[in-house]
PDB file of all heavy atoms in Angstrom:
ATOM      1  N   HIS N  27     123.279 142.115 -93.400  1.00 84.00           N
ATOM      2  CA  HIS N  27     123.849 142.524 -92.126  1.00 84.00           C
ATOM      3  C   HIS N  27     125.282 142.966 -92.342  1.00 84.00           C
ATOM      4  O   HIS N  27     126.235 142.375 -91.817  1.00 84.00           O
ATOM      5  CB  HIS N  27     123.758 141.407 -91.089  1.00 84.00           C
ATOM      6  CG  HIS N  27     122.359 140.929 -90.901  1.00 84.00           C
ATOM      7  ND1 HIS N  27     121.477 141.515 -90.036  1.00 84.00           N
ATOM      8  CD2 HIS N  27     121.652 139.907 -91.472  1.00 84.00           C
ATOM      9  CE1 HIS N  27     120.305 140.931 -90.079  1.00 84.00           C
ATOM     10  NE2 HIS N  27     120.399 139.936 -90.930  1.00 84.00           N
ATOM     11  N   ALA N  28     125.445 143.951 -93.220  1.00 86.00           N
ATOM     12  CA  ALA N  28     126.760 144.328 -93.713  1.00 86.00           C
ATOM     13  C   ALA N  28     127.713 144.740 -92.585  1.00 86.00           C
ATOM     14  O   ALA N  28     128.885 144.339 -92.575  1.00 86.00           O
ATOM     15  CB  ALA N  28     126.633 145.462 -94.717  1.00 86.00           C
ATOM     16  N   ARG N  29     127.198 145.480 -91.624  1.00 85.00           N
ATOM     17  CA  ARG N  29     128.082 145.986 -90.561  1.00 85.00           C
ATOM     18  C   ARG N  29     128.611 144.828 -89.711  1.00 85.00           C
ATOM     19  O   ARG N  29     129.809 144.741 -89.422  1.00 85.00           O
ATOM     20  CB  ARG N  29     127.339 146.957 -89.673  1.00 85.00           C
ATOM     21  CG  ARG N  29     128.265 147.571 -88.589  1.00 85.00           C
ATOM     22  CD  ARG N  29     127.508 148.519 -87.693  1.00 85.00           C
ATOM     23  NE  ARG N  29     127.072 149.720 -88.409  1.00 85.00           N
ATOM     24  CZ  ARG N  29     126.391 150.688 -87.854  1.00 85.00           C
ATOM     25  NH1 ARG N  29     126.078 150.654 -86.581  1.00 85.00           N
ATOM     26  NH2 ARG N  29     126.009 151.760 -88.552  1.00 85.00           N
ATOM     27  N   ARG N  30     127.713 143.932 -89.371  1.00 85.00           N
ATOM     28  CA  ARG N  30     128.146 142.751 -88.583  1.00 85.00           C
ATOM     29  C   ARG N  30     129.088 141.855 -89.361  1.00 85.00           C
ATOM     30  O   ARG N  30     130.119 141.417 -88.862  1.00 85.00           O
ATOM     31  CB  ARG N  30     126.908 141.946 -88.183  1.00 85.00           C
ATOM     32  CG  ARG N  30     127.163 140.802 -87.209  1.00 85.00           C
ATOM     33  CD  ARG N  30     127.227 139.471 -87.894  1.00 85.00           C
ATOM     34  NE  ARG N  30     125.973 139.190 -88.637  1.00 85.00           N
ATOM     35  CZ  ARG N  30     125.873 138.195 -89.485  1.00 85.00           C
ATOM     36  NH1 ARG N  30     126.856 137.414 -89.716  1.00 85.00           N
ATOM     37  NH2 ARG N  30     124.731 138.027 -90.113  1.00 85.00           N
ATOM     38  N   SER N  31     128.810 141.711 -90.671  1.00 87.00           N
ATOM     39  CA  SER N  31     129.703 140.896 -91.517  1.00 87.00           C
ATOM     40  C   SER N  31     131.076 141.563 -91.619  1.00 87.00           C
ATOM     41  O   SER N  31     132.098 140.877 -91.576  1.00 87.00           O
ATOM     42  CB  SER N  31     129.088 140.745 -92.930  1.00 87.00           C
ATOM     43  OG  SER N  31     127.832 140.144 -92.859  1.00 87.00           O
ATOM     44  N   LEU N  32     131.052 142.873 -91.732  1.00 89.00           N
ATOM     45  CA  LEU N  32     132.286 143.617 -91.837  1.00 89.00           C
ATOM     46  C   LEU N  32     133.133 143.474 -90.570  1.00 89.00           C
ATOM     47  O   LEU N  32     134.341 143.288 -90.602  1.00 89.00           O
ATOM     48  CB  LEU N  32     131.984 145.083 -92.116  1.00 89.00           C
ATOM     49  CG  LEU N  32     133.065 145.882 -92.827  1.00 89.00           C
ATOM     50  CD1 LEU N  32     133.400 145.298 -94.207  1.00 89.00           C
ATOM     51  CD2 LEU N  32     132.675 147.326 -92.987  1.00 89.00           C
ATOM     52  N   LEU N  33     132.428 143.575 -89.397  1.00 87.00           N
ATOM     53  CA  LEU N  33     133.128 143.461 -88.127  1.00 87.00           C
ATOM     54  C   LEU N  33     133.773 142.076 -87.984  1.00 87.00           C
ATOM     55  O   LEU N  33     134.926 141.946 -87.633  1.00 87.00           O
ATOM     56  CB  LEU N  33     132.144 143.717 -86.984  1.00 87.00           C
ATOM     57  CG  LEU N  33     131.861 145.155 -86.587  1.00 87.00           C
ATOM     58  CD1 LEU N  33     130.772 145.217 -85.549  1.00 87.00           C
ATOM     59  CD2 LEU N  33     133.159 145.809 -86.085  1.00 87.00           C
ATOM     60  N   THR N  34     132.971 141.055 -88.293  1.00 86.00           N
ATOM     61  CA  THR N  34     133.455 139.697 -88.152  1.00 86.00           C
ATOM     62  C   THR N  34     134.629 139.507 -89.149  1.00 86.00           C
ATOM     63  O   THR N  34     135.681 138.956 -88.763  1.00 86.00           O
ATOM     64  CB  THR N  34     132.323 138.681 -88.468  1.00 86.00           C
ATOM     65  OG1 THR N  34     131.259 138.941 -87.582  1.00 86.00           O
ATOM     66  CG2 THR N  34     132.793 137.279 -88.279  1.00 86.00           C
ATOM     67  N   GLY N  35     134.444 139.929 -90.364  1.00 90.00           N
ATOM     68  CA  GLY N  35     135.472 139.746 -91.405  1.00 90.00           C
ATOM     69  C   GLY N  35     136.735 140.512 -91.024  1.00 90.00           C
ATOM     70  O   GLY N  35     137.849 140.016 -91.200  1.00 90.00           O
ATOM     71  N   ALA N  36     136.554 141.733 -90.499  1.00 90.00           N
ATOM     72  CA  ALA N  36     137.714 142.558 -90.153  1.00 90.00           C
ATOM     73  C   ALA N  36     138.468 141.896 -88.987  1.00 90.00           C
ATOM     74  O   ALA N  36     139.726 141.895 -88.980  1.00 90.00           O
ATOM     75  CB  ALA N  36     137.276 143.959 -89.754  1.00 90.00           C
ATOM     76  N   ALA N  37     137.741 141.320 -88.035  1.00 87.00           N
ATOM     77  CA  ALA N  37     138.427 140.621 -86.917  1.00 87.00           C
ATOM     78  C   ALA N  37     139.254 139.447 -87.443  1.00 87.00           C
ATOM     79  O   ALA N  37     140.393 139.287 -87.035  1.00 87.00           O
ATOM     80  CB  ALA N  37     137.402 140.153 -85.889  1.00 87.00           C
ATOM     81  N   VAL N 327     131.844 134.912 -95.101  1.00 91.00           N
ATOM     82  CA  VAL N 327     132.576 136.022 -94.480  1.00 91.00           C
ATOM     83  C   VAL N 327     134.060 135.629 -94.289  1.00 91.00           C
ATOM     84  O   VAL N 327     134.978 136.393 -94.578  1.00 91.00           O
ATOM     85  CB  VAL N 327     131.960 136.397 -93.137  1.00 91.00           C
ATOM     86  CG1 VAL N 327     132.789 137.439 -92.399  1.00 91.00           C
ATOM     87  CG2 VAL N 327     130.546 136.966 -93.375  1.00 91.00           C
TER      88      VAL N 327
END
Side-chain angles (χ1 to χ4, degrees):
Chain N
H27 303 276
R29 184 181 294 178
R30 187 258 304 169
S31 302
L32 204 62
L33 276 174
T34 304
V327 173

